[in-house]
């Protein structure tokens, strides 16, 4: 328990540092951010003054940082001058789509990588192993934006099997409960709407999860080989326990420990990949919103989103660390 | 082999993917962007306007020929150079069933024009669209609008202002109006799936719309959906596969494909945005009229319109669109590289000039094509792509010592009235005069035209003004592009509109 | 930590290097990849001599011209033309310059910074270590692409800005490796001996410790090249990369997206180029790692 508290305390400086960097990204931007943000919007002098005092540009940096931090903790990231609504509101509307996409991508990655990695390790140097190794090599080398375009062309445009854009068809009006369409449709027992949502999420999730799938396959395979070499496996084998039982009861359990912690670290690729995948597939999530916001210089929104992504990532790493400790009997809590 | 694999995939997926049934009374629009807000007074965004216009009606509107006609107003008259009177139609209902009155119209105009009227000290970003509107007053079912100076184009600016319900806005506030709709248009809001789609259904209490634009009555279809598909190729694919019925911004290179598809067709309409290249008239090089003329002769406009815009643009030789009020036939500067070179030599540049041409990312293809054409006459233009805000600062008309050379840019003219485009881009120091052009004679003509109430005289003044700029060439005038739409053949009764609105009131499906 | 054998004598290290090189040479796939990689480098360096056309020369009459083997194609324009009639093959050749240049510069600069920071943190310990380790922890808190996008959004596009945005984050990776290795090495006998002989801290770090952590960090550097190239391509794809008309593979894919229904070749070939380059770097660096870093042996 002491270690847990210690790790929890270590989070504080990291989160502070992350916030400081996000703050500096905007604060140290060359040029007058207000000038740039106003752009072609028609603003009166009063509105411009309001924006200036909103951003507190006239005050010293440390004070501005403290304000930024204080507001951020309360979920206040200023106003999205493009939408003319609070940034937090605009972001939270788009968040469920992004979370759902990321979770499904992760699910696909785990569901592909673990069986494939295990099979490759058990059947080392066979064709299965080769497929897994070469496949994961391609997986880390494919640029996601290009792979997404190819999938879209093949399945949505040429074969017309899957929709080209969006999250769900129009036949399926789904009253929001959790915001996750896959869950909401099931909760309401509407199977065809569920399938419709699934059809929409399939290609983006595969594209997004690809690098993670590749890396996890590799990690699982290596970990599994490592465990299979351990003494206790040989010992169990000598005791006459069936090989199958040894592999799946004992070896797999231990081999999954590194897989799980690498999975958490690799959420970084999901979070970053969001922006690209959502742009390619017209997915109505936060990633696309951020990319659109960059080009209209909607700085407060970009800043808030970067902070949100980073904090999520820090927390994911923390959870991975704790999980690792809990799962691994060799590391004392 | 490839076919077999496709087949395998197809059959595997077909099991889990049932075909979609198409609802007979629904129109889906594949649209480039989501609405930023649903509050008619709180944006300056064309796409947002297009979506909102199906939920709300305006005091006035335009017919297919861009003529201004009454909509929520029953009629209107100009009672003096500075006052207009609008008679508000009776029997119009908001979506919640309440009656629309002259008070709502006054409230709408005040909300747009009074400082701080949006609440929390906010002023509507559309305020400047209503220029010198000073005050409004209600007399029975009439709304009297008073201007601080003569402004003949007030009616032309009103079709882009939608009427809101006073009671509803007071209830939900400006924050609430961003996402909730109690409109008076032919459709009411069903659901806004942000970033994905806006779903609307027919409003059965609709008063019928402008009497000058038949058919008058309720909307034809049960539901309309604006589906946000920002990716160009995806939007076209969605049309071709029948997922959507209308798409906007069909790229010129996809026209052939949409035409060859048996279920879809292409519709075009002349737009209202004029494109031109601002030349830095205060600069050393372009301060010389010979150099400006050289650019005009060096630019093979026809080639670019044909090759890059797929022929979907009208060439212009002055600032005005041929469809605009006061436009006239002007002498053209036809492509003539020899003449361009000679003019450059006369100006003291026998070896040509090296300049920079600025543009936004969206037009980089076009501008690169322009640069490669200009190079043939010795005008070596380096293309620099920047963001609009940065370019606006670099080409700020108030800048005493502008640094730019050439700037590929444009100016929208939704009202098709010269007041809205000629003045800002050509009057000395005005807000869109990126060329830093200053001609007192032209300023005088433009100011005279702004307050001239006699239509024929006004047109004559603009004719004269256009002749001046055609000779002086502060800008190189390029073209007015057409808006291109891809439309499913099952859609009947809908035509694209020059102001780029997509009004679905009259549209039916088979 | 078996890499550290007997540091007092130099010749065993040299023979180890030769042995490792021999191991690498036996890995045919890795050698083939290294050869292709070399081909890319040659292509980038000698682009003006290899490219059949000027990569920025537009020709509106060749707009979206198909590849040579398709109807309407020409052999002088092997892979067809883009929307401005520019030769895609020549642009891919020139695009290799951007990818390889950015990949190399970012990783090289980051590695130098990383080595210095890692040595300082691992050897000097104390507040230096605390400071550097904290900074590393904080930067690791950002998903890589998000960090780069965030910075590019604020700084604006451009070659120098991409390099800066990536280096700011990239140095953390070698720094962590070097710090770990340094911590392991610093207590070893020969370092103690050098300390006892009165060598300066700087001398010990650079002369005694650095050579022993170098192989690990160089293996990491080659692997990182692949990632950095994909990151650059991703930024360019989003329009946050180098400025047009400079050819970059990522922006070429992005430019072709709108034409994918009519002219698939505009996006497809540059994407294929990215895939190939990244793939051969990955395979070659894996071979290098297998040969040079015994810890990764199975």
């Amino acid at each position: 328990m002491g270690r847990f508290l210690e790790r929890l305390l270590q989070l504080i400086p990291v989160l502070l540092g992350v916030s400081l960097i996000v703050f500096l990204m905007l604060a140290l931007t060359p040029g007058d951010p207000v000038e740039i943000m106003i752009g072609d919007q028609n603003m009166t002098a009063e509105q411009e003054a309001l924006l200036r005092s909103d951003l507190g540009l006239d005050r010293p940096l440390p004070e501005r940082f403290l304000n930024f931090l204080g507001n951020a903790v309360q979920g206040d990231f200023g106003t999205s001058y493009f939408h003319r609504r609070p940034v937090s509101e605009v972001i939270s509307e788009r968040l469920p789509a992004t979370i759902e996409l990321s979770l499904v991508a992760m699910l696909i990655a785990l569901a592909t990588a673990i069986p494939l990695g295990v099979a490759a390790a058990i059947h080392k140097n066979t064709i299965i192993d080769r497929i897994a190794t070469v496949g994961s090599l391609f997986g880390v080398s494919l640029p996601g934006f290009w792979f997404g375009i190819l999938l879209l062309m093949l399945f949505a445009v040429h074969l017309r099997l899957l929709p080209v854009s969006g999250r769900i068809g129009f036949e399926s009006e789904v009253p929001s409960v959790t915001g996750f369409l896959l869950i909401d449709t099931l909760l309401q027992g509407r199977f065809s709407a569920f399938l419709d949502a699934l059809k929409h999420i399939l290609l983006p999730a595969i594209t997004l999860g690809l690098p993670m799938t590749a890396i996890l396959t590799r990690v699982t395979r290596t970990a599994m080989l490592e465990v299979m070499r351990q003494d206790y496996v040989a010992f169990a084998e000598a005791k006459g326990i069936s090989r199958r039982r040894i592999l799946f009861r004992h070896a797999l359990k231990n081999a999954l420990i590194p897989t799980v912690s690498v999975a958490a670290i690799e959420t970084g690729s999901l979070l970053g990949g969001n922006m690209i995948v959502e742009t390619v597939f017209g997915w109505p999530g936060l990633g696309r919103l951020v990319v659109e916001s960059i080009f209209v210089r909607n700085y407060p929104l970009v800043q808030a989103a970067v902070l949100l992504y980073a904090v999520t990532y820090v927390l994911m790493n923390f959870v991975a660390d704790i999980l690792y400790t809990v799962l691994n009997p060799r590391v004392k809590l | 082999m490839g076919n077999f694999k496709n087949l395998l995939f197809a059959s595997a997926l077909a099991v889990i993917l049932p075909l979609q049934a198409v609802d007979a009374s629904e129109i889906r629009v594949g649209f480039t962007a989501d609405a930023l807000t649903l509050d008619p007074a709180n944006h300056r965004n064309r796409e947002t306007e297009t979506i909102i216009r199906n939920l709300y009606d305006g005091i006035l509107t335009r017919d297919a020929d861009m003529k201004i006609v009454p909509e929520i107003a029953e009629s209107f008259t100009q009672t003096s150079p500075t006052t207009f009177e609008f008679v508000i139609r009776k029997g119009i209902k908001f979506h919640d069933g309440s009656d629309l009155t002259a008070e709502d119209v006054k409230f709408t105009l005040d909300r747009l024009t009074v400082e701080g009227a949006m609440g929390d000290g906010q002023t509507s970003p559309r305020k400047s669209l209503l220029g010198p509107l000073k005050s409004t007053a209600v007399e029975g079912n009439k709304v009297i609008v008073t201007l601080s100076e003569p402004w003949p184009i007030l009616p032309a600016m009103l079709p882009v202002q939608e009427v809101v319900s006073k009671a509803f806005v007071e209830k939900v506030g400006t924050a609430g109006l961003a996402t909730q709709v109690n409109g008076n248009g032919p459709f009411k809001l069903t659901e806004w799936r942000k970033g994905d789609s806006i779903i609307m259904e027919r409003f059965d209490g609709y008063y019928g719309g402008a009497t000058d634009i038949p058919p008058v009555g309720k909307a034809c279809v049960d539901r309309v959906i604006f589906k946000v598909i920002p990716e160009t190729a995806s939007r076209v694919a969605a049309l071709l596969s029948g997922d959507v019925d209308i798409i906007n911004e069909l790229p010129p290179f996809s026209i052939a494909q949409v035409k060859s598809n048996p279920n879809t067709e292409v519709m075009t309409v002349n737009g209202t945005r004029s494109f031109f290249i601002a030349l830095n008239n205060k600069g050393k090089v372009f301060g010389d009229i010979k150099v400006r003329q050289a650019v005009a002769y060096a630019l093979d406009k026809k080639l670019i319109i044909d090759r890059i815009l797929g022929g979907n643009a009208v060439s212009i030789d002055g600032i005005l669109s041929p469809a605009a009020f006061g436009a006239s036939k002007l002498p053209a500067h036809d492509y003539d590289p020899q003449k361009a070179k000679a003019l450059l030599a006369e100006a003291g540049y026998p070896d040509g000039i090296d300049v920079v041409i600025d543009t936004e990312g969206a037009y980089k293809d076009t501008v690169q094509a322009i640069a490669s054409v200009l190079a043939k006459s010795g005008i070596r233009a380096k293309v620099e792509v920047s963001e609009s805000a940065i370019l606006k600062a670099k080409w700020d008309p108030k800048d005493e010592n502008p640094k730019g050379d050439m700037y590929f840019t444009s100016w929208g003219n939704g009202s098709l009235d010269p007041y809205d485009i000629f003045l800002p881009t050509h009057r000395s120091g005005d807000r869109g005069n990126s060329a830093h052009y200053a001609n007192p004679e032209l300023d005088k003509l433009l100011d005279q035209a702004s307050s001239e109430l006699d239509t024929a005289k006004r047109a004559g003044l603009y004719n004269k003004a256009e002749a001046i700029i055609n000779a002086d060439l502060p800008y190189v005038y390029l073209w007015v592009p057409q808006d291109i739409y891809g439309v499913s053949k099952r859609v009947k009764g809908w035509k694209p509109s020059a102001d780029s609105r997509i009004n679905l009131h009259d549209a039916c499906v088979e | 930590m078996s890499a550290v054998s007997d540091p007092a004598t130099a010749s065993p290290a040299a023979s180890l290097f030769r042995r490792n090189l021999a191991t690498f040479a036996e890995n045919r796939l890795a050698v083939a990849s290294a050869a292709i990689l070399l081909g890319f480098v040659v292509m980038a360096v000698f682009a003006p001599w290899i490219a059949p056309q000027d990569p920025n020369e537009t020709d509106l009459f060749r707009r979206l011209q198909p590849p040579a083997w398709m109807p309407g194609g020409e052999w002088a324009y092997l892979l067809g033309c883009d929307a401005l009639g520019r030769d895609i093959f020549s642009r891919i050749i020139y695009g290799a310059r951007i990818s390889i240049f950015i990949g190399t510069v970012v990783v090289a600069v980051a590695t130098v910074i990383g080595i210095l920071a890692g040595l300082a943190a691992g050897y000097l310990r104390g507040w230096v270590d605390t400071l550097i380790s904290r900074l590393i922890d904080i930067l690791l808190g950002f998903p890589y692409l998000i960090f780069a996008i965030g910075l590019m959004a604020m700084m604006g596009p451009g070659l120098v800005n991409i390099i800066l945005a990536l280096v700011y984050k990239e140095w953390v990776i070698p720094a962590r490796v070097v710090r770990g290795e340094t911590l392991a090495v610093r207590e070893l006998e020969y370092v103690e001996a050098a300390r006892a002989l009165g060598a300066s801290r700087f001398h010990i770090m650079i002369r005694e410790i650095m050579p022993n952590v170098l192989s690990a960090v160089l293996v990491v550097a080659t692997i990182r090249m692949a990632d950095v190239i994909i990151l650059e391509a991703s930024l360019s794809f989003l329009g946050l990369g180098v400025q047009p008309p400079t050819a970059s593979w990522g922006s070429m894919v992005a430019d072709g997206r709108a034409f994918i229904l009519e002219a698939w070749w505009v996006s497809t070939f540059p994407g294929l180029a990215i895939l190939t380059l990244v793939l051969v770097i990955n395979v070659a660096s894996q071979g290098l790692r297998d040969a040079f870093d015994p810890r990764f042996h199975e």
Side-chain angles (χ1 to χ4, degrees):
Chain A
M1 222 42 220
R3 197 183 129 78
F4 177 79
L5 273 178
E6 196 190 312
R7 286 286 293 129
L8 201 62
L9 285 177
Q10 278 170 3
L11 271 184
I12 295 169
V14 171
L15 287 175
L16 274 175
V18 163
S19 321
L20 179 62
I21 288 181
V22 174
F23 167 76
L24 289 178
M25 275 184 185
L26 179 56
L28 299 183
T29 301
D32 179 357
V34 174
E35 255 334 284
I36 295 172
M37 264 195 285
I38 292 172
D40 35 8
Q41 297 191 45
N42 221 299
M43 275 204 192
T44 60
E46 293 95 290
Q47 283 171 301
E48 196 180 319
L50 195 74
L51 177 55
R52 252 172 228 287
S53 74
D54 245 28
L55 293 171
L57 293 177
D58 40 346
R59 274 162 288 165
L61 271 186
E63 191 192 329
R64 278 165 60 190
F65 176 57
L66 286 182
N67 277 339
F68 170 75
L69 211 59
N71 290 338
V73 168
Q74 298 164 36
D76 175 5
F77 294 97
T79 306
S80 166
Y81 287 89
F82 195 57
H83 300 84
R84 300 177 71 89
R85 282 195 289 147
V87 166
S88 51
E89 197 180 303
V90 178
I91 286 186
S92 58
E93 287 165 0
R94 295 293 195 96
L95 214 46
T98 291
I99 296 175
E100 184 172 40
L101 177 62
S102 306
L103 288 179
V104 173
M106 195 194 258
L107 213 63
I108 291 178
L110 290 171
T112 317
I114 294 175
L116 197 58
V118 169
I122 293 175
H123 306 286
K124 193 170 179 246
N125 292 332
T126 64
I127 183 79
I128 298 176
D129 191 17
R130 272 288 150 87
I131 291 172
T133 315
V134 173
S136 67
L137 202 56
F138 268 87
V140 293
S141 307
L142 267 170
F145 52 89
W146 184 66
F147 183 60
I149 293 173
L150 293 189
L151 287 183
L152 194 68
M153 276 303 108
L154 180 62
F155 291 103
V157 174
H158 290 297
L159 299 179
R160 291 192 184 171
L161 291 170
L162 297 168
V164 287
S165 191
R167 245 184 122 189
I168 194 163
F170 314 114
E171 291 73 23
S172 330
E173 266 164 62
V174 183
S176 178
V177 183
T178 59
F180 302 138
L181 290 178
L182 289 175
I183 296 176
D184 285 352
T185 48
L186 279 185
L187 282 180
Q188 292 156 26
R190 293 174 46 195
F191 197 61
S192 72
F194 171 77
L195 279 183
D196 189 37
L198 195 63
K199 266 193 331 192
H200 280 81
I201 207 169
L202 206 55
L203 292 182
I206 288 174
T207 311
L208 183 59
L210 185 75
M212 190 178 193
T213 312
I215 286 164
L216 290 187
T217 304
R218 216 184 262 180
V219 169
T220 310
R221 176 181 174 273
T222 312
M224 194 71 185
L225 284 174
E226 184 105 347
V227 174
M228 281 161 66
R229 267 203 302 269
Q230 302 277 323
D231 290 345
Y232 72 91
V233 176
F235 181 67
E237 217 157 359
K239 267 175 57 183
I241 300 170
S242 84
R243 187 174 153 79
R244 219 186 138 73
R245 195 182 150 92
I246 297 166
L247 287 177
F248 289 99
R249 275 292 173 78
H250 304 281
L252 183 59
K253 216 173 95 185
N254 286 312
L256 281 184
I257 297 167
T259 307
V260 168
S261 61
V262 172
I265 293 165
E266 278 302 308
T267 50
S269 80
L270 295 185
L271 296 171
N274 260 325
M275 307 210 177
I276 299 221
V277 171
E278 290 185 6
T279 302
V280 170
F281 288 97
W283 188 260
L286 181 57
R288 203 182 91 202
L289 180 69
V290 171
V291 173
E292 286 166 359
S293 298
I294 289 173
F295 293 104
V296 294
R297 303 252 149 187
N298 192 351
Y299 285 145
L301 196 148
V302 176
Q303 195 179 35
V306 170
L307 185 62
L308 185 67
Y309 279 118
V311 168
T312 310
Y313 191 46
V314 169
L315 295 179
M316 283 306 293
N317 280 325
F318 171 71
V319 170
D321 208 37
I322 297 304
L323 221 55
Y324 189 76
T325 322
V326 172
L327 286 177
N328 196 340
R330 277 166 295 183
V331 181
K332 281 226 181 76
L333 200 63
Chain B
M1 182 61 199
N3 276 336
F4 175 70
K5 256 192 284 178
N6 289 353
L7 199 69
L8 205 68
F9 257 122
S11 43
L13 285 164
V15 178
I16 55 163
L17 308 168
L19 283 171
Q20 291 187 358
V22 176
D23 191 342
S25 186
E26 175 175 292
I27 288 185
R28 302 160 178 182
V29 181
F31 201 53
T32 38
D34 195 8
L36 298 177
T37 172
L38 295 180
D39 181 346
N42 210 2
H43 70 91
R44 281 290 288 268
N45 180 268
R46 213 169 67 148
E47 286 83 4
T48 304
E49 171 78 22
T50 294
I51 290 170
I52 287 178
R53 209 54 170 75
N54 285 287
L55 298 162
Y56 288 92
D57 277 358
I59 302 171
L60 308 177
T61 189
R62 289 199 194 91
D63 67 8
D65 303 321
M66 291 291 99
K67 204 180 132 224
I68 313 280
V69 296
E71 192 167 37
I72 279 176
E74 191 174 83
S75 64
F76 68 99
T77 41
Q78 181 162 15
T79 45
S80 85
T82 55
T83 46
F84 284 84
E85 223 177 79
F86 299 87
V87 181
I88 304 307
R89 192 192 298 264
K90 289 200 179 100
I92 298 180
K93 292 209 181 304
F94 283 107
H95 295 163
D96 66 357
S98 61
D99 288 316
L100 184 151
T101 66
E103 284 296 338
D104 293 307
V105 176
K106 175 183 158 57
F107 177 80
T108 299
L109 289 172
D110 289 348
R111 191 163 176 264
L112 286 161
T113 53
V114 176
E115 291 278 341
M118 303 279 289
D120 287 338
Q122 285 187 68
T123 304
S124 168
R126 301 183 81 77
K127 178 175 162 60
S128 62
L129 292 175
L130 288 175
L133 194 152
K134 197 170 74 186
S135 63
T136 53
V138 171
E139 275 176 25
N141 65 339
K142 279 189 208 153
V143 175
I144 320 283
V145 174
T146 311
L147 306 169
S148 56
E149 58 186 84
W151 200 53
I153 70 155
L154 175 71
M157 298 308 282
L158 284 176
V160 292
Q161 315 295 351
E162 295 83 23
V163 177
V164 295
S165 154
K166 183 179 180 197
F168 187 70
V169 176
E170 280 171 352
K171 194 176 94 196
V172 300
T174 288
L177 210 62
T179 54
Q180 299 168 51
V181 174
N182 179 25
N184 39 49
F187 298 98
K188 53 185 185 184
L189 180 69
T190 307
E191 192 188 353
W192 183 10
R193 298 182 190 157
K194 302 208 178 58
D196 187 69
S197 49
I198 295 188
I199 303 171
M200 310 172 191
E201 61 192 284
R202 180 172 48 217
F203 171 45
D204 285 322
Y206 187 55
Y207 66 97
T211 42
D212 295 316
I213 312 174
V216 175
K218 283 185 285 185
C220 182
V221 290
D222 296 330
R223 290 213 305 174
V224 299
I225 293 158
F226 281 86
K227 164 94 178 155
V228 182
I229 313 180
E231 277 295 290
T232 305
S234 300
R235 207 162 58 249
V236 177
L239 175 76
L240 294 176
S241 68
D243 278 355
V244 297
D245 305 306
I246 298 175
I247 60 168
N248 71 331
E249 291 189 22
L250 177 70
F253 47 81
S254 291
I255 287 179
Q257 203 163 11
V258 173
K259 275 187 177 159
S260 66
N261 183 318
N263 303 320
T264 54
E265 60 190 323
V266 174
M267 289 188 181
T268 57
V269 63
N270 288 329
T272 55
R273 180 166 286 268
S274 297
F275 281 77
F276 43 84
I277 301 173
L279 305 172
N280 181 358
N281 283 246
K282 272 195 190 161
K284 184 177 165 294
V285 181
F286 292 109
D288 188 336
I289 181 156
K290 292 207 171 75
V291 182
R292 299 202 296 270
Q293 284 169 337
V295 179
Y297 285 116
L299 188 60
D300 192 350
K301 255 194 274 180
K302 191 175 167 321
L303 177 75
I304 302 215
I305 290 176
D306 281 353
R307 294 280 149 180
I308 300 285
L309 305 174
N312 297 289
V314 184
S315 178
I316 51 173
D317 300 295
I319 188 72
L320 297 178
S321 152
F325 175 82
S328 54
K329 181 89 188 99
L330 294 162
H333 297 79
D334 287 328
Y335 180 52
D336 188 344
Q338 293 314 319
K339 199 164 180 177
K341 278 182 201 158
L343 281 163
L344 280 181
E346 274 177 53
Y349 306 101
D351 303 323
I353 49 173
D354 290 279
V355 289
V356 169
I357 178 163
D358 289 308
T359 181
E360 278 174 53
Y363 303 111
K364 67 174 199 275
D365 274 9
T366 312
V367 176
Q368 253 153 37
I370 288 176
S372 67
V373 169
L374 291 178
K376 290 184 180 135
S377 305
I379 299 163
R380 293 172 295 274
K382 185 172 171 290
V383 179
E384 274 183 16
V385 178
S386 307
E387 323 240 336
S388 69
I390 293 165
L391 290 174
K392 286 235 156 68
K394 181 174 175 182
W395 288 88
D396 184 357
K398 291 185 209 81
D399 193 344
E400 288 298 319
N401 191 12
K403 294 283 182 301
D405 295 327
M406 304 169 81
Y407 174 27
F408 177 93
T409 182
S410 67
W411 197 271
N413 185 216
S415 65
L416 284 172
D417 190 289
Y419 178 88
D420 214 12
I421 182 166
F422 214 145
L423 266 77
T425 54
H426 286 77
R427 192 162 61 173
S428 308
D430 212 320
R431 67 185 199 280
N433 191 344
S434 43
H436 293 91
Y437 183 55
N439 182 345
E441 188 196 344
L442 183 79
D443 290 351
K444 220 177 106 198
L445 272 176
L446 292 176
D447 287 339
Q448 250 179 299
S450 302
S451 50
E452 177 59 63
L453 298 179
D454 182 297
T455 329
K457 273 191 202 152
R458 214 172 142 238
L461 290 168
Y462 284 124
N463 288 167
K464 249 192 241 170
E466 276 231 294
I468 292 177
I469 60 164
N470 175 270
D472 229 4
L473 290 173
Y475 299 83
V476 178
Y477 305 99
L478 301 173
W479 51 70
V480 175
Q482 289 179 314
D483 293 336
I484 314 172
Y485 297 81
V487 185
S488 160
K489 283 183 181 157
R490 72 185 198 103
V491 175
K492 302 286 169 200
W494 181 81
K495 271 203 173 54
S497 161
D499 54 10
S500 82
R501 282 165 22 184
I502 301 177
N503 290 339
L504 296 166
H505 169 243
D506 302 339
C508 295
V509 285
E510 284 184 336
Chain C
M1 292 298 109
S2 50
V4 188
S5 48
D6 185 4
T9 49
S11 59
S15 80
L16 179 69
F17 179 80
R18 241 173 287 146
R19 228 181 24 248
N20 288 341
L21 204 63
T23 318
F24 180 77
E26 278 165 31
N27 185 341
R28 273 181 304 171
L29 194 62
V31 172
S33 297
I36 299 174
L37 180 56
L38 192 68
F40 270 107
V41 174
V42 169
M43 196 166 95
V45 173
F46 297 104
W49 289 275
I50 298 172
Q53 310 290 341
D54 178 340
N56 297 325
E57 173 74 33
T58 62
D59 179 351
L60 297 185
F61 291 98
R62 290 207 161 79
R63 185 174 162 77
L64 302 178
Q65 177 174 305
W69 57 88
M70 285 171 65
E74 273 177 274
W75 286 105
Y77 297 84
L78 188 66
L79 302 180
C81 296
D82 68 6
L84 287 172
R86 296 176 298 198
D87 180 35
I88 291 174
F89 183 53
S90 302
R91 286 180 72 71
I92 287 179
I93 291 172
Y94 273 86
R97 291 188 149 188
I98 295 293
S99 288
I100 293 175
F101 177 73
I102 290 180
T104 313
V105 169
V106 168
V107 171
V109 174
T111 303
V112 171
I113 298 175
I115 288 175
L116 296 178
L119 279 174
Y123 187 74
L124 300 177
R125 308 300 313 266
W127 65 269
V128 179
D129 189 20
T130 311
L131 192 76
I132 292 175
S133 299
R134 276 282 171 268
L135 194 55
I136 291 178
D137 282 345
I138 289 165
L139 285 171
L140 284 174
F142 287 92
Y144 206 137
L145 191 58
I146 300 281
F147 182 83
I149 288 175
L151 267 181
M152 292 305 288
M154 308 297 176
M155 296 195 298
L159 184 69
V160 176
N161 286 355
I162 299 186
I163 292 175
L164 285 178
L166 294 177
V167 165
Y168 285 153
K169 169 97 183 170
E170 180 66 31
W171 70 272
V172 165
I173 294 163
R176 266 220 311 186
V177 173
V178 173
R179 179 178 174 273
E181 298 275 318
T182 307
L183 283 177
V185 170
R186 73 189 298 265
E187 307 300 341
L188 290 180
E189 275 172 43
Y190 77 98
V191 179
E192 297 280 359
R195 219 170 311 178
L197 287 171
S200 74
R201 290 201 281 187
F202 183 76
H203 177 93
I204 293 173
M205 279 194 281
I206 300 296
R207 282 302 182 73
E208 307 293 341
I209 298 180
M210 194 167 81
N212 285 293
V213 303
L214 219 50
S215 78
V217 83
L218 287 183
V219 167
V220 170
T222 57
I223 301 170
R224 293 301 311 156
M225 283 272 288
D227 255 12
V228 168
I229 287 172
I230 289 208
L231 282 163
E232 181 274 326
S234 305
L235 289 174
S236 292
F237 174 79
L238 290 175
L240 297 170
V242 291
Q243 285 275 61
T246 310
S248 152
W249 293 344
S251 56
M252 287 173 75
V253 173
D255 286 347
R257 245 181 337 158
F259 311 101
I260 199 93
L261 294 173
E262 299 82 11
W264 54 268
W265 51 91
V266 184
S267 279
T268 306
F269 293 122
L272 213 53
I274 305 173
L275 171 62
T276 313
L277 177 60
V278 173
L279 197 63
V280 296
I281 293 178
N282 274 327
V283 173
S285 67
Q286 211 166 28
L288 218 56
R289 187 177 61 180
D290 290 346
F292 281 78
D293 201 332
R295 275 169 301 169
F296 288 99
H297 280 306
E298 287 170 2

